[in-house]
Amino acid sequence: MHAGIMIPADRTADNLVDDVSAKAGAAVGAGVRQLWISQQFDFDAVTLAALVGSANPGVGVGTSVVPINPRHPLVLATAVQTAQAATHGNFTLGLGLGVAFLEERVYGLPWAHTIARLQEYLAVLNAIRDGNPLDHHGTHLTAVDPQVLPVALAGSTRFPILVAAMGPQALRVTGEWADGTIVANTGPRTIESFIVPTIARAAAQAGRPTPRVVTMVSVAITDDIEAARADIAPRLALYDSIPSYQKVLAREGVSASVDLAAIGTEETVAKTLRGYLDAGATELIVMPQQTGPADLERIYRLTAGL
């Protein structure tokens, strides 16, 4: 399996959970074997992934991604262990540092010492999933012997941890403490020349296995490329204002995140997506930018065939 799909949530639906569940079932019916749920301010990705995974036995589910603020790792661990049990060992936790100006505005939380806090956060999660005694008294976090949910109740399976790491420091910590990274709107040049070597070097120095590099790519299957670009560009504009993504744009030689979207015929899109795998990505997350039933069905089939 090289590709999974981000299930788009329709906020105009009568019931968002029912909407996501129906789309997940359709994707699985088309042959997709890995489903991803994005964390938002108005619904919980871990809970929704657990429901989707329980309804589709044997299919992988994951979050992409849950910000480490404002949840303490012990609080997040209770949800993750429950999701791992509900999906019988098919859950993957995707974490992220979040976006500074959003978290400061929404939660009133300072966005400081993020790399050091990420390292402590991962240390706590690793201890929990490995069943080790927990007595963490760090600079940024305290976590002591929670007895949250025994790993045995989750099928004795260690849930994978992926981190949305873009910068060199975040990639270093991710390579040392996590199982891989999830990167969004990142071109193949960046994957090959920066993401893969940076995280692989950190993992090797820490004596850890070769990390997973999961790449999220926005996709639209269409013959009207310009109309699709005009439609997609506003949705991706937020990335253009984030410093780490601005560095990606410069590295890729493009001016906006929409330039990194895979837009065109099925053959063109498939070729673009395979380019990420050729660049060193181990897996893809296809992010549909079209949500009509017929459009989604085409994207599901394409994803299943990668």
Side-chain angles (χ1 to χ4, degrees):
M1 179 196 68
H2 290 126
I5 197 157
M6 182 75 71
I7 302 298
D10 182 2
R11 287 178 172 76
T12 67
D14 292 336
N15 185 303
L16 184 144
V17 173
D18 289 346
D19 173 70
V20 169
S21 297
K23 288 173 180 170
V28 172
V32 178
R33 304 303 296 170
Q34 178 69 45
L35 310 173
W36 297 90
I37 308 293
S38 174
Q39 179 66 46
Q40 302 295 328
F41 290 114
D42 54 351
F43 65 86
D44 182 64
V46 177
T47 303
L48 195 47
L51 290 170
V52 167
S54 178
N56 296 279
V59 173
V61 294
T63 59
S64 181
V65 291
V66 176
I68 62 175
N69 282 331
R71 280 188 268 198
H72 189 282
L74 299 186
V75 175
L76 181 59
T78 60
V80 170
Q81 293 278 52
T82 305
Q84 184 71 318
T87 62
H88 295 273
N90 287 302
F91 179 83
T92 296
L93 173 63
L95 287 176
L97 292 172
V99 179
F101 74 88
L102 285 177
E103 295 197 353
E104 289 170 350
R105 184 179 70 184
V106 173
Y107 302 125
L109 295 173
W111 208 81
H113 310 292
T114 52
I115 300 301
R117 188 160 186 267
L118 173 64
Q119 183 169 346
E120 290 192 32
Y121 207 101
L122 291 172
V124 172
L125 287 178
N126 272 279
I128 293 171
R129 71 172 181 170
D130 292 342
N132 295 330
L134 184 60
D135 190 18
H136 181 90
H137 298 269
T139 303
H140 305 283
L141 291 170
T142 296
V144 180
D145 192 21
Q147 296 298 308
V148 183
L149 179 65
V151 175
L153 293 185
S156 299
T157 303
R158 296 171 79 255
F159 55 88
I161 300 174
L162 306 176
V163 179
M166 296 288 294
Q169 295 185 73
L171 284 166
R172 174 185 57 79
V173 171
T174 299
E176 293 171 348
W177 289 93
D179 301 299
T181 184
I182 297 179
V183 292
N185 294 309
T186 304
R189 186 178 302 170
T190 299
I191 295 294
E192 184 173 28
S193 66
F194 178 63
I195 300 292
V196 170
T198 304
I199 192 173
R201 182 168 55 250
Q205 291 174 347
R208 295 180 62 86
T210 301
R212 294 162 61 183
V213 176
V214 183
T215 304
M216 302 166 60
V217 185
S218 296
V219 166
I221 299 176
T222 179
D223 293 322
D224 193 341
I225 295 175
E226 290 307 313
R229 283 177 55 86
D231 180 55
I232 295 169
R235 296 199 289 272
L236 302 183
L238 172 64
Y239 292 99
D240 299 341
S241 65
I242 301 173
S244 57
Y245 286 96
Q246 292 171 349
K247 293 177 181 177
V248 169
L249 298 179
R251 194 180 290 114
E252 296 291 334
V254 298
S255 60
S257 294
V258 69
D259 297 324
L260 299 175
I263 305 172
T265 64
E266 292 185 35
E267 293 77 11
T268 299
V269 169
K271 182 178 180 180
T272 299
L273 293 175
R274 292 190 182 102
Y276 284 87
L277 298 174
D278 293 339
T282 59
E283 301 156 56
L284 299 169
I285 300 177
V286 173
M287 296 190 294
Q289 296 299 316
Q290 302 156 300
T291 56
D295 294 318
L296 284 175
E297 181 64 27
R298 294 172 71 188
I299 295 175
Y300 296 155
R301 291 198 306 267
L302 182 144
T303 301
L306 291 170

